[in-house]
Amino acid sequence: MQRDFHYYGTYCAASLAGYSHEESMAIAYSAELVDHCSRSFLAALKAPLSAATTQLAFEMANARTDILGLQDITRIWASFHFLPYDLNREVGKGGRRYRNKYRLICDTNGPLLRETVRLAKGKGLQAAGLAVHVLADTWAHRYFAGTPSLVINNMSRNVVELVTREDGSIDEQPVKFRNSLSGDDLSTGIFTCTPTMNSENTVMNLGHGRAGHLPDYSFARYKYLPAWAEYHEILKDNPSDYYKAFCQMVYALSFLHGSHESFETERYATSTVAPWEDRIRSFLVKRQLDIMDEWHALATSITGRTLEDFSLDKYQQEYLCASPDEKNDTFLGKFILAALEQKGMVTNKIYSSGNPLAGRSIEYREGAFAGMKDYLVLISDAARRIGRG
Amino acid sequence: MDTYEDQKALLRRHRDTLYIAGTGTMILGLWSMAEGGLNMLATSSLQEGMSTGWEQVISSTQSIVAMLVFMILLMLIQVYVGVCARRESRGEERGSFYLVLAGIFVVLDVLFIGVEVFLATQSEYSVDETIVHLTISILSAFSDLQLIVSCLRARRLSAALEG
């Protein structure tokens, strides 16, 4: 998904879930920050690099694709953008390597989503924002895996977009892909995607690169053949999926806000969103590169307040000026803790299922002394919470 | 029992195989042409004729031209078979003539494999060359056979789905 949904859409969802304007801004900021918190960003802040929630284009270009490099890539993308659906799914064909990658395919309403939202409970607004970013991406990025893999993430070039005409009829238009950096041209139906590379583990085959930005456009409805689907056609209905994602975000944020006791999958706050349903559905189908203005207008309608634009350096000074003991209490410090927790949880789940693609996972709490020192801060933070509680 | 979607997926698989087999047939046809041409240049009786007299040169040239024409014809037929297979894989209706030609090529390839194996037992025959020729012939036979099988399966499935 793009900024229109992650920032403005999250603000709307948080407001509907009962958060105040300031709290909703913090949640929305954190949700959007997941797409910007790269190693370069953290290095400039002298913050733990293990908390990276994304990799920028030049970082991807420099990324190693040996076993350690692939594990590093998978840890980031599977934890924050392509949450695996079922780590024990039976494949029915292929060897162990194929099975491990197949099990990382992202889809909605999986057990890991439940863990993600529950992990954020009581951990602050930053954790809430991070959790709903992950939730939203399970809808947009479903059917792709957060690990570089040709045999999983590739797709046939015969993609057909379902375009609704003014008279209501549906036209099937072939989607044309190109590999240039010129961006997508909606008028001619030409979309940019990563080039075809026959190497299994090239970063060009990470996530939905082969489909370009199609999964991130709320208006897109299209049919295609993913490499893993054995020639079965998938219909991706983004307007419908995005609306469900929004309703589920409201439900998740209501849980995190304390409005109800538990978070379960396959539940949506449709009644809460109902007064705004027609308006949301009408701009989700707008054939535009982004719908920031529409979400912003909706946010103003819900709360009567105007949102400030997202600014990456908003909280950087606070973090830089804080003493080492106080860093974890700053806005970015809390976000970093949430990111470490989420990445640690997902990596641990993947490793515990017997899948080595995200690397080893060690439980510090069980007395282990090896592993990434960045994660030790989670032990001290947990102890601090217990002390306060 | 397979569902309607499973059958459509199977049809796509057969058409995909047909497309690949058709492409393979075209490439192998071009390869055979290139290999035959290079072979002729390397072991040309024209060179022998040049040392013995103009009558020999003319005779050698005639046989070379005849062989070239034959090789080009074979190549064009294989390319035609490949193009028809690729078009049918995209859902266009093609006749069965190209399937008959593909069947003939399968028979010729099998015969050629037999000849190669026999000639390989002759002491003056190069082992390396034999292995290469055999590999290409086996690949060609397999490709043509797969083309026929996937085409027939695709047609049967397509008829069943429409019916």
PDB file of all heavy atoms in Angstrom, chain A residues 225 229-233, chain B residues 5-6 9 12-13 16:
ATOM      1  N   LEU A 225      -1.602 -15.081 -13.334  1.00  0.00           N
ATOM      2  CA  LEU A 225      -1.186 -16.439 -12.966  1.00  0.00           C
ATOM      3  C   LEU A 225       0.104 -16.358 -12.159  1.00  0.00           C
ATOM      4  O   LEU A 225       1.174 -16.161 -12.728  1.00  0.00           O
ATOM      5  CB  LEU A 225      -0.938 -17.277 -14.231  1.00  0.00           C
ATOM      6  CG  LEU A 225      -2.110 -17.478 -15.194  1.00  0.00           C
ATOM      7  CD1 LEU A 225      -1.663 -18.267 -16.420  1.00  0.00           C
ATOM      8  CD2 LEU A 225      -3.240 -18.224 -14.513  1.00  0.00           C
ATOM      9  N   ALA A 229       0.942 -20.960  -8.269  1.00  0.00           N
ATOM     10  CA  ALA A 229      -0.458 -21.382  -8.277  1.00  0.00           C
ATOM     11  C   ALA A 229      -0.784 -22.497  -9.265  1.00  0.00           C
ATOM     12  O   ALA A 229      -1.960 -22.818  -9.431  1.00  0.00           O
ATOM     13  CB  ALA A 229      -1.364 -20.181  -8.559  1.00  0.00           C
ATOM     14  N   GLU A 230       0.243 -23.087  -9.894  1.00  0.00           N
ATOM     15  CA  GLU A 230      -0.020 -24.232 -10.779  1.00  0.00           C
ATOM     16  C   GLU A 230      -1.058 -23.904 -11.856  1.00  0.00           C
ATOM     17  O   GLU A 230      -2.025 -24.648 -12.053  1.00  0.00           O
ATOM     18  CB  GLU A 230      -0.510 -25.442  -9.954  1.00  0.00           C
ATOM     19  CG  GLU A 230       0.513 -25.977  -8.989  1.00  0.00           C
ATOM     20  CD  GLU A 230       1.632 -26.713  -9.685  1.00  0.00           C
ATOM     21  OE1 GLU A 230       1.351 -27.621 -10.487  1.00  0.00           O
ATOM     22  OE2 GLU A 230       2.793 -26.352  -9.454  1.00  0.00           O
ATOM     23  N   TYR A 231      -0.886 -22.785 -12.500  1.00  0.00           N
ATOM     24  CA  TYR A 231      -1.732 -22.355 -13.616  1.00  0.00           C
ATOM     25  C   TYR A 231      -3.150 -21.964 -13.196  1.00  0.00           C
ATOM     26  O   TYR A 231      -4.008 -21.740 -14.048  1.00  0.00           O
ATOM     27  CB  TYR A 231      -1.789 -23.416 -14.726  1.00  0.00           C
ATOM     28  CG  TYR A 231      -0.476 -23.593 -15.437  1.00  0.00           C
ATOM     29  CD1 TYR A 231       0.437 -24.562 -15.030  1.00  0.00           C
ATOM     30  CD2 TYR A 231      -0.126 -22.773 -16.509  1.00  0.00           C
ATOM     31  CE1 TYR A 231       1.654 -24.705 -15.667  1.00  0.00           C
ATOM     32  CE2 TYR A 231       1.089 -22.919 -17.150  1.00  0.00           C
ATOM     33  CZ  TYR A 231       1.975 -23.891 -16.720  1.00  0.00           C
ATOM     34  OH  TYR A 231       3.179 -24.037 -17.361  1.00  0.00           O
ATOM     35  N   HIS A 232      -3.415 -21.901 -11.878  1.00  0.00           N
ATOM     36  CA  HIS A 232      -4.713 -21.399 -11.443  1.00  0.00           C
ATOM     37  C   HIS A 232      -4.679 -19.877 -11.455  1.00  0.00           C
ATOM     38  O   HIS A 232      -3.694 -19.259 -11.064  1.00  0.00           O
ATOM     39  CB  HIS A 232      -5.039 -21.886 -10.026  1.00  0.00           C
ATOM     40  CG  HIS A 232      -5.478 -23.308  -9.991  1.00  0.00           C
ATOM     41  ND1 HIS A 232      -4.594 -24.355  -9.997  1.00  0.00           N
ATOM     42  CD2 HIS A 232      -6.711 -23.862  -9.979  1.00  0.00           C
ATOM     43  CE1 HIS A 232      -5.264 -25.499  -9.984  1.00  0.00           C
ATOM     44  NE2 HIS A 232      -6.552 -25.229  -9.961  1.00  0.00           N
ATOM     45  N   GLU A 233      -5.782 -19.302 -11.922  1.00  0.00           N
ATOM     46  CA  GLU A 233      -5.831 -17.847 -12.056  1.00  0.00           C
ATOM     47  C   GLU A 233      -6.268 -17.220 -10.740  1.00  0.00           C
ATOM     48  O   GLU A 233      -7.180 -17.726 -10.081  1.00  0.00           O
ATOM     49  CB  GLU A 233      -6.823 -17.485 -13.170  1.00  0.00           C
ATOM     50  CG  GLU A 233      -6.636 -16.111 -13.737  1.00  0.00           C
ATOM     51  CD  GLU A 233      -7.480 -15.942 -14.988  1.00  0.00           C
ATOM     52  OE1 GLU A 233      -8.714 -16.133 -14.887  1.00  0.00           O
ATOM     53  OE2 GLU A 233      -6.919 -15.616 -16.043  1.00  0.00           O
TER      54      GLU A 233
ATOM     55  N   GLU B   5     -12.383 -25.063 -12.433  1.00  0.00           N
ATOM     56  CA  GLU B   5     -11.154 -24.255 -12.346  1.00  0.00           C
ATOM     57  C   GLU B   5      -9.917 -25.121 -12.514  1.00  0.00           C
ATOM     58  O   GLU B   5      -8.938 -24.702 -13.149  1.00  0.00           O
ATOM     59  CB  GLU B   5     -11.095 -23.526 -10.997  1.00  0.00           C
ATOM     60  CG  GLU B   5     -12.032 -22.332 -10.891  1.00  0.00           C
ATOM     61  CD  GLU B   5     -11.813 -21.320 -12.015  1.00  0.00           C
ATOM     62  OE1 GLU B   5     -10.655 -21.022 -12.350  1.00  0.00           O
ATOM     63  OE2 GLU B   5     -12.820 -20.831 -12.572  1.00  0.00           O
ATOM     64  N   ASP B   6      -9.944 -26.329 -11.961  1.00  0.00           N
ATOM     65  CA  ASP B   6      -8.805 -27.234 -12.117  1.00  0.00           C
ATOM     66  C   ASP B   6      -8.609 -27.581 -13.590  1.00  0.00           C
ATOM     67  O   ASP B   6      -7.481 -27.652 -14.082  1.00  0.00           O
ATOM     68  CB  ASP B   6      -9.038 -28.527 -11.337  1.00  0.00           C
ATOM     69  CG  ASP B   6      -8.920 -28.313  -9.837  1.00  0.00           C
ATOM     70  OD1 ASP B   6      -8.273 -27.331  -9.437  1.00  0.00           O
ATOM     71  OD2 ASP B   6      -9.472 -29.122  -9.076  1.00  0.00           O
ATOM     72  N   ALA B   9      -7.110 -24.721 -15.395  1.00  0.00           N
ATOM     73  CA  ALA B   9      -5.675 -24.646 -15.073  1.00  0.00           C
ATOM     74  C   ALA B   9      -4.895 -25.676 -15.886  1.00  0.00           C
ATOM     75  O   ALA B   9      -3.801 -25.388 -16.396  1.00  0.00           O
ATOM     76  CB  ALA B   9      -5.458 -24.869 -13.584  1.00  0.00           C
ATOM     77  N   ARG B  12      -4.502 -24.486 -19.405  1.00  0.00           N
ATOM     78  CA  ARG B  12      -3.425 -23.474 -19.491  1.00  0.00           C
ATOM     79  C   ARG B  12      -2.063 -24.165 -19.480  1.00  0.00           C
ATOM     80  O   ARG B  12      -1.150 -23.754 -20.202  1.00  0.00           O
ATOM     81  CB  ARG B  12      -3.508 -22.506 -18.313  1.00  0.00           C
ATOM     82  CG  ARG B  12      -4.629 -21.513 -18.409  1.00  0.00           C
ATOM     83  CD  ARG B  12      -4.526 -20.469 -17.322  1.00  0.00           C
ATOM     84  NE  ARG B  12      -5.846 -19.921 -17.080  1.00  0.00           N
ATOM     85  CZ  ARG B  12      -6.600 -20.180 -16.031  1.00  0.00           C
ATOM     86  NH1 ARG B  12      -6.158 -20.951 -15.066  1.00  0.00           N
ATOM     87  NH2 ARG B  12      -7.802 -19.665 -15.909  1.00  0.00           N
ATOM     88  N   ARG B  13      -1.924 -25.203 -18.658  1.00  0.00           N
ATOM     89  CA  ARG B  13      -0.647 -25.913 -18.579  1.00  0.00           C
ATOM     90  C   ARG B  13      -0.316 -26.556 -19.927  1.00  0.00           C
ATOM     91  O   ARG B  13       0.813 -26.447 -20.417  1.00  0.00           O
ATOM     92  CB  ARG B  13      -0.711 -26.983 -17.492  1.00  0.00           C
ATOM     93  CG  ARG B  13       0.583 -27.757 -17.337  1.00  0.00           C
ATOM     94  CD  ARG B  13       0.382 -28.963 -16.453  1.00  0.00           C
ATOM     95  NE  ARG B  13       0.196 -28.588 -15.072  1.00  0.00           N
ATOM     96  CZ  ARG B  13       1.197 -28.356 -14.218  1.00  0.00           C
ATOM     97  NH1 ARG B  13       2.439 -28.468 -14.628  1.00  0.00           N
ATOM     98  NH2 ARG B  13       0.956 -28.057 -12.977  1.00  0.00           N
ATOM     99  N   ASP B  16       0.638 -23.966 -22.425  1.00  0.00           N
ATOM    100  CA  ASP B  16       1.981 -23.456 -22.121  1.00  0.00           C
ATOM    101  C   ASP B  16       3.033 -24.438 -22.628  1.00  0.00           C
ATOM    102  O   ASP B  16       4.050 -24.041 -23.210  1.00  0.00           O
ATOM    103  CB  ASP B  16       2.111 -23.262 -20.608  1.00  0.00           C
ATOM    104  CG  ASP B  16       3.179 -22.255 -20.251  1.00  0.00           C
ATOM    105  OD1 ASP B  16       3.410 -21.324 -21.047  1.00  0.00           O
ATOM    106  OD2 ASP B  16       3.802 -22.399 -19.187  1.00  0.00           O
TER     107      ASP B  16
END
